[in-house]
């Protein structure tokens, strides 16, 4: 059973990278289209995101010169060369990276992930990930059922979301934990709770966001509420409200529990109801305007955050071998604790 969908070189000398060059000539049917779209039509095996990355790396050239960006309009008759590097080794390397281990036994390991750590290798993050660290710590025992690049992973957290994550150490544990996460606690014991600092103060003390999510139609790296998307449900409860310099509500602390596990779910859902997360530059419109109403010390704490104010604070599940319910809690990390302190003090 596959894991449910879900939320940096060891050598001093880099190995030689072998690349393949592909030449493309713009046809009349491509006249006036964005160049990255034209390249995607001629190279269907590559996503536009991958082609945009090759452009950014200077691997797409016209007349021997790298092009500036994929938004330029294509002109019929122009020729481009695309340098495609050979794929990297799919097997992640074990790396000696410190982990905050909350619990470990022969079947699983629970880690309190810091903000800034990617869960598993992906384009743009080939190493320095949680998986690299776990391979070093756990060795050959780490389950491979989740795929070569994400062994043992049954759920994930965004790079800049801190908090609790459980990883399976063998196939049996992986299958049983994956089943619990696929059910999202609807009929089983799984419990996940996140703490989020949001802009504004919801009128109600609690609520539910039921809005389908899918890839943004234009900005493919983003998620959006879209008709026909995958169903997604977030339950939230307001825990505290904070005031601005004039005593007006400016921010709140909410606890969010997921009934589904979609990418960026909490961030998109809270923005959808008008309360984006503090520090979320992707989904939080008007961050600077809102921040101008904060006391100086709070604004400094927010400026120093450098990420969305989201923390996976509570995790509970049935142990895959014993059947016992296990529950773990993680306190706010230092950056979010500082933000909370200054919000509560009103500056």
């Amino acid at each position: 059973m596959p894991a449910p969908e879900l939320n940096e070189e060891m050598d001093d000398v880099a190995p030689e990278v072998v690349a393949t060059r592909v030449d493309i000539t713009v046809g009349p049917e491509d006249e006036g289209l964005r160049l990255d779209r034209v390249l995607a039509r001629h190279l269907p095996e590559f996503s536009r995101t991958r082609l945009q990355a090759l452009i950014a790396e200077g691997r797409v050239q016209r007349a021997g010169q790298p092009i500036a960006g994929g938004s330029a309009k294509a002109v019929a008759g122009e020729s481009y060369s695309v340098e495609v590097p050979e794929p990297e080794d799919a097997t992640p390397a074990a790396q000696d990276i410190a982990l905050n281990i909350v619990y470990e036994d022969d079947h699983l390991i629970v880690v309190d992930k810091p903000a800034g750590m990617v869960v598993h290798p992906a384009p743009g993050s080939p190493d320095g990930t949680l998986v690299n660290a776990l391979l070093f710590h756990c060795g050959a025992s780490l389950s491979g059922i989740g795929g070569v690049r994400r062994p043992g992973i049954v759920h994930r957290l965004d790079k800049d979301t801190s908090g609790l994550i459980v990883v399976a150490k063998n196939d049996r544990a992986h299958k049983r934990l994956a089943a619990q996460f696929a059910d999202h606690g609807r009929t089983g014991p799984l419990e996940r709770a996140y703490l989020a600092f949001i802009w504004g103060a919801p009128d109600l003390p609690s609520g539910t966001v039921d809005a389908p999510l899918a890839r943004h139609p234009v900005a493919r790296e983003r998620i959006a509420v879209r008709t026909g998307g995958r169903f997604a449900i977030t339950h939230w409860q307001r825990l505290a409200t904070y005031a601005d310099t004039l005593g007006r509500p400016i921010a709140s602390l909410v606890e969010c529990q997921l009934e589904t596990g979609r990418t960026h779910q909490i961030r998109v859902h809270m923005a959808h109801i008008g309360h984006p997360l503090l520090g979320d530059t992707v989904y939080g419109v008007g961050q600077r305007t809102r921040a101008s109403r904060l006391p100086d010390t709070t604004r400094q704490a927010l400026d120093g955050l450098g990420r969305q104010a989201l923390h996976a604070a509570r995790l509970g599940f049935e142990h895959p071998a014993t059947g016992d319910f296990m529950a773990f809690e993680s306190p706010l990390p230092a950056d979010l604790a500082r933000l909370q302190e200054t919000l509560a003090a009103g500056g």
Side-chain angles (χ1 to χ4, degrees), residues 69-224:
S71 61
K73 302 301 182 183
V75 177
E78 288 187 333
S79 296
Y80 297 87
S81 64
V82 182
E83 186 183 75
V84 182
E86 290 296 316
E88 301 172 358
D89 185 355
T91 304
Q95 293 179 293
D96 187 3
I97 301 170
L99 291 173
N100 182 5
I101 298 172
V102 178
Y103 174 85
E104 182 178 12
D105 60 24
D106 291 339
H107 306 279
L108 58 88
I109 181 170
V110 178
V111 175
D112 198 339
K113 186 188 84 68
M117 175 179 274
V118 176
V119 170
H120 56 74
S125 302
D127 57 12
T129 70
L130 177 62
V131 161
N132 296 109
L134 289 169
L135 286 170
F136 182 90
H137 177 80
C138 300
S141 68
L142 199 63
S143 168
I145 196 172
V148 175
R149 278 195 173 271
R150 52 181 193 178
I153 302 299
V154 294
H155 69 121
R156 56 162 290 182
L157 298 174
D158 290 345
K159 173 184 176 181
D160 290 327
T161 298
S162 55
L164 297 168
I165 184 170
V166 59
V167 178
K169 294 175 68 175
N170 56 61
D171 288 353
R172 181 186 181 195
H174 192 286
K175 290 177 181 178
R176 295 191 173 186
L177 286 171
Q180 292 184 56
F181 278 88
D183 182 66
H184 296 291
R186 289 186 288 268
T187 62
L190 184 73
E191 180 183 4
R192 287 184 295 168
Y194 296 75
L195 293 177
F197 292 88
I198 61 173
W199 289 109
D203 294 333
L204 299 174
S206 62
T208 296
V209 184
D210 183 351
L213 300 177
R215 288 287 173 187
H216 192 283
V218 177
R220 302 296 292 172
E221 72 280 3
R222 297 178 57 185
I223 305 297

Side-chain angles (χ1 to χ4, degrees), residues 209-213 224-226 266-276 283:
V209 184
D210 183 351
L213 300 177
V225 172
R226 297 186 64 187
I266 292 174
R267 298 165 63 188
V268 178
H269 271 177
M270 297 313 295
H272 179 63
I273 62 172
H275 299 287
Y283 300 107

Side-chain angles (χ1 to χ4, degrees), residues 3-344:
E5 179 185 345
L6 309 176
N7 61 77
E8 313 165 319
E9 275 161 50
M10 296 184 65
D11 300 324
D12 293 331
V13 179
E16 180 182 359
V17 178
V18 179
T20 301
R21 198 180 89 168
V22 179
D23 294 320
I24 294 172
T25 300
V26 177
E29 70 279 8
D30 296 325
E31 177 77 33
L33 298 178
R34 280 176 58 110
L35 181 58
D36 52 5
R37 290 186 59 188
V38 173
L39 294 176
R41 288 178 59 179
H42 285 266
L43 299 169
E45 65 272 29
F46 297 107
S47 68
R48 283 179 64 186
T49 299
R50 175 61 172 142
L51 289 167
Q52 287 166 353
L54 293 176
I55 291 171
E57 294 168 7
R59 296 182 181 272
V60 180
Q61 299 184 358
R62 178 179 56 200
Q65 297 296 319
I67 65 170
S71 61
K73 302 301 182 183
V75 177
E78 288 187 333
S79 296
Y80 297 87
S81 64
V82 182
E83 186 183 75
V84 182
E86 290 296 316
E88 301 172 358
D89 185 355
T91 304
Q95 293 179 293
D96 187 3
I97 301 170
L99 291 173
N100 182 5
I101 298 172
V102 178
Y103 174 85
E104 182 178 12
D105 60 24
D106 291 339
H107 306 279
L108 58 88
I109 181 170
V110 178
V111 175
D112 198 339
K113 186 188 84 68
M117 175 179 274
V118 176
V119 170
H120 56 74
S125 302
D127 57 12
T129 70
L130 177 62
V131 161
N132 296 109
L134 289 169
L135 286 170
F136 182 90
H137 177 80
C138 300
S141 68
L142 199 63
S143 168
I145 196 172
V148 175
R149 278 195 173 271
R150 52 181 193 178
I153 302 299
V154 294
H155 69 121
R156 56 162 290 182
L157 298 174
D158 290 345
K159 173 184 176 181
D160 290 327
T161 298
S162 55
L164 297 168
I165 184 170
V166 59
V167 178
K169 294 175 68 175
N170 56 61
D171 288 353
R172 181 186 181 195
H174 192 286
K175 290 177 181 178
R176 295 191 173 186
L177 286 171
Q180 292 184 56
F181 278 88
D183 182 66
H184 296 291
R186 289 186 288 268
T187 62
L190 184 73
E191 180 183 4
R192 287 184 295 168
Y194 296 75
L195 293 177
F197 292 88
I198 61 173
W199 289 109
D203 294 333
L204 299 174
S206 62
T208 296
V209 184
D210 183 351
L213 300 177
R215 288 287 173 187
H216 192 283
V218 177
R220 302 296 292 172
E221 72 280 3
R222 297 178 57 185
I223 305 297
V225 172
R226 297 186 64 187
T227 301
R230 304 184 69 183
F231 82 96
I233 300 175
T234 302
H235 305 285
W236 59 267
Q237 179 180 4
R238 177 160 45 86
L239 303 180
T241 300
Y242 309 106
D244 64 8
T245 53
L246 298 179
R248 302 168 300 184
I250 181 63
S252 302
L253 172 63
V254 296
E255 179 183 282
C256 295
Q257 296 198 34
L258 303 181
E259 196 172 313
T260 51
R262 311 302 181 205
T263 300
H264 298 178
Q265 179 172 322
I266 292 174
R267 298 165 63 188
V268 178
H269 271 177
M270 297 313 295
H272 179 63
I273 62 172
H275 299 287
L277 273 60
L278 272 68
D280 193 342
T281 58
V282 176
Y283 300 107
V285 178
Q287 292 271 337
R288 290 186 178 181
T289 301
R290 296 174 192 261
S292 67
R293 295 173 49 198
L294 294 171
D296 289 342
T297 53
T298 305
R299 189 165 58 251
Q300 292 168 7
L302 179 58
D303 289 343
L305 195 61
R307 66 176 179 113
Q308 67 267 7
L310 183 63
H311 179 65
R314 195 164 68 249
L315 176 64
F317 54 86
E318 183 181 278
H319 193 283
T322 68
D324 295 335
F325 182 75
M326 308 189 72
F328 304 93
E329 293 192 11
S330 168
L332 288 174
D335 57 353
L336 292 183
R338 173 60 178 163
L339 179 65
Q340 182 185 43
E341 178 185 355
T342 58
L343 283 168

